[in-house]
C-alpha cells in the first residue's frame, strides 16, 4: 500500500501528542505540545523528547506541564518533520478538535524503508472525559487494550485523521493500498458497504497526490465518515461522505487495531492517552 491503511461544512479544532515501534510494511526537534483542554481543567502542554529506536521507529516521551493558550500552534512528527496544527478545523465538523498523537507510514522495498506519509489523530476533547475507566493505565497497557480503542471509536464525539503525503503518489496506487488494508477487515460486505467503497475509490482514481497533499478522514459519528483532500492548506469542503459503519470501523482498525499500518501513530496516541489519564 502507499501508506495506509488509507483515507474527509461547519468546522472542527485540535491539540498534540507522540509515537513508538512495531513495524509492518505496506505502502501506504524542537517540539512543543500545547493545549489539550478537557474536564474544564486548564489547558495542558506536552513537551516531547525523541530517541531513536530499532526498526526505524521513534518513541516519544512526554512531560506534562501547564501552559497558556497560544503557546504553540504546531507539533512536528519527528521521523518525517511534518508539522501538524495542534488545533484543527475541518469541514462539516461541529466543534474544534485537538491533536492527540502523530506517526508515520513506511513501505519497505527489499530492505529499504521508504516513508510515504505522516498522520495525526485529532479528537473532540470531550471524548477524554468518558475514559475514566482507563485512568492510571500505562501507555503499553492502553496500546494493547482493544476494548479501549473500540470504545474510543464508538463514542459519537468527532474524530479526524489527517494524512500528509511526504512523497508523490498517484491516486490509484494510494487507493489500491488502502483497499488492500480495508477489504479484508470487512468479512461479509453488504450492498451499502460496496457502494461506500465505490464512492471512496472514486475520490482517488485518476487523481495525482503530490507531496504535501493532505487527506482528512473525519468521523462525525461512527456510522459516517467524511473524506476531504487538499493540496494546499486546509480543505474548504468535503469531497465525499461514506455512510457505512463497516467501512468506517474497518478504516479506524487499519490504524488502531491489532496490526496497525502505522505502529508509531498508535503508540503516540496510546502515550498521549496515558499522559492525560494519569
Amino acid at each position: 500500500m502507499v501508506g495506509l491503511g488509507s483515507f474527509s461544512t461547519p468546522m472542527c479544532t485540535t491539540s498534540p501528542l507522540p509515537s513508538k515501534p512495531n513495524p509492518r510494511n505496506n505502502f501506504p526537534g524542537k517540539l512543543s505540545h500545547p493545549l489539550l483542554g478537557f474536564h474544564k481543567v486548564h489547558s495542558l502542554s506536552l513537551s516531547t523528547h525523541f530517541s531513536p529506536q530499532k526498526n526505524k521507529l521513534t518513541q516519544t516521551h512526554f512531560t506534562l506541564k501547564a501552559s497558556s493558550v497560544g503557546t504553540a500552534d504546531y507539533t512536528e512528527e519527528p521521523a518525517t518533520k511534518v508539522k501538524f496544527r495542534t488545533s484543527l478545523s475541518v469541514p462539516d465538523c461541529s466543534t474544534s478538535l485537538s491533536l492527540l498523537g502523530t506517526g508515520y507510514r513506511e513501505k519497505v522495498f527489499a530492505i529499504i524503508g521508504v516513508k510515504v506519509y505522516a498522520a495525526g489523530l485529532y479528537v473532540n476533547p470531550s471524548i477524554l472525559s468518558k475514559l475514566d475507566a482507563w485512568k492510571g493505565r500505562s501507555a503499553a497497557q492502553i496500546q494493547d487494550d482493544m476494548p479501549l480503542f473500540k470504545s474510543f471509536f464508538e463514542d459519537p464525539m468527532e474524530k479526524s485523521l489527517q494524512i500528509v503525503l511526504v512523497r508523490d503518489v498517484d491516486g490509484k496506487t494510494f487507493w489500491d493500498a488502502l483497499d488492500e488494508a480495508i477489504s479484508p477487515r470487512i468479512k461479509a460486505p453488504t450492498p451499502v458497504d460496496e457502494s461506500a467503497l465505490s464512492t471512496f475509490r472514486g475520490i482517488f482514481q485518476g487523481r495525482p497526490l503530490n507531496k504535501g497533499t493532505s487527506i482528512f478522514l473525519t468521523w462525525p459519528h461512527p456510522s459516517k465518515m467524511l473524506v476531504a483532500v487538499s493540496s494546499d492548506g486546509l480543505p474548504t469542503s468535503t469531497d465525499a461522505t461514506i455512510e457505512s459503519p463497516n467501512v468506517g470501523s474497518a478504516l479506524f482498525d487499519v490504524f488502531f487495531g491489532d496490526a496497525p499500518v502505522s505502529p508509531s501513530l498508535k503508540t503516540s496516541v496510546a502515550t498521549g492517552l496515558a499522559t492525560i489519564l494519569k
Side-chain angles (χ1 to χ4, degrees):
M1 162 166 199
V2 168
L4 277 95
S6 293
F7 333 97
S8 324
T9 14
M11 319 267 305
C12 299
T13 320
T14 327
S15 185
L17 298 110
S19 75
K20 157 191 167 183
N22 182 1
R24 185 186 177 210
N25 300 329
N26 255 319
F27 218 97
K30 183 178 179 181
L31 295 162
S32 57
H33 294 261
L35 3 150
L36 182 53
F38 61 101
H39 283 320
K40 296 183 180 178
V41 190
H42 56 275
S43 299
L44 297 178
S45 175
L46 296 170
S47 68
T48 313
H49 308 284
F50 298 93
S51 59
Q53 301 292 315
K54 294 179 181 179
N55 300 322
K56 301 182 181 178
L57 285 172
T58 309
Q59 182 170 10
T60 307
H61 304 283
F62 291 88
T63 303
L64 197 63
K65 58 184 180 183
S67 80
S68 58
V69 173
T71 53
D73 297 325
Y74 295 90
T75 291
E76 183 180 272
E77 194 289 304
T80 60
K81 307 303 181 187
V82 171
K83 291 181 172 61
F84 288 89
R85 294 170 184 263
T86 58
S87 183
L88 181 69
S89 294
V90 293
D92 298 318
C93 198
S94 64
T95 189
S96 60
L97 304 179
S98 295
L99 183 63
L100 186 56
T102 64
Y104 67 93
R105 181 75 182 103
E106 185 174 71
K107 172 68 177 177
V108 174
F109 297 94
I111 59 171
I112 306 300
V114 177
K115 293 177 181 63
V116 181
Y117 60 77
L121 180 67
Y122 292 83
V123 300
N124 182 327
S126 297
I127 229 177
L128 303 172
S129 65
K130 302 180 180 183
L131 300 177
D132 286 349
W134 284 274
K135 275 186 176 295
R137 301 281 182 91
S138 68
Q141 289 173 320
I142 287 176
Q143 183 168 354
D144 293 334
D145 192 337
M146 289 314 299
L148 183 153
F149 282 95
K150 186 172 186 290
S151 172
F152 197 78
F153 174 72
E154 291 177 348
D155 191 278
M157 295 292 182
E158 297 96 334
K159 296 159 280 285
S160 187
L161 184 69
Q162 180 183 4
I163 294 165
V164 182
L165 295 173
V166 296
R167 62 196 321 102
D168 294 347
V169 177
D170 71 88
K172 181 181 184 304
T173 300
F174 185 82
W175 167 254
D176 288 347
L178 184 55
D179 187 43
E180 185 180 295
I182 296 174
S183 292
R185 288 171 162 84
I186 304 175
K187 303 304 181 186
T190 66
V192 170
D193 300 332
E194 296 289 1
S195 175
L197 287 170
S198 178
T199 299
F200 209 171
R201 180 188 308 114
I203 299 169
F204 301 105
Q205 295 299 319
R207 182 175 198 160
L209 301 174
N210 298 325
K211 179 179 178 180
T213 296
S214 286
I215 299 162
F216 294 84
L217 305 172
T218 302
W219 292 269
H221 187 275
S223 63
K224 178 190 287 189
M225 184 174 70
L226 310 176
V227 185
V229 182
S230 175
S231 59
D232 183 22
L234 296 177
T236 56
S237 62
T238 294
D239 289 285
T241 299
I242 309 297
E243 298 197 67
S244 162
N246 289 334
V247 172
S249 175
L251 186 55
F252 194 83
D253 188 70
V254 164
F255 288 95
F256 301 105
D258 287 328
V261 297
S262 173
S264 59
L265 174 62
K266 184 176 179 182
T267 297
S268 177
V269 168
T271 302
L273 286 170
T275 301
I276 293 165
L277 297 174
K278 274 186 177 178

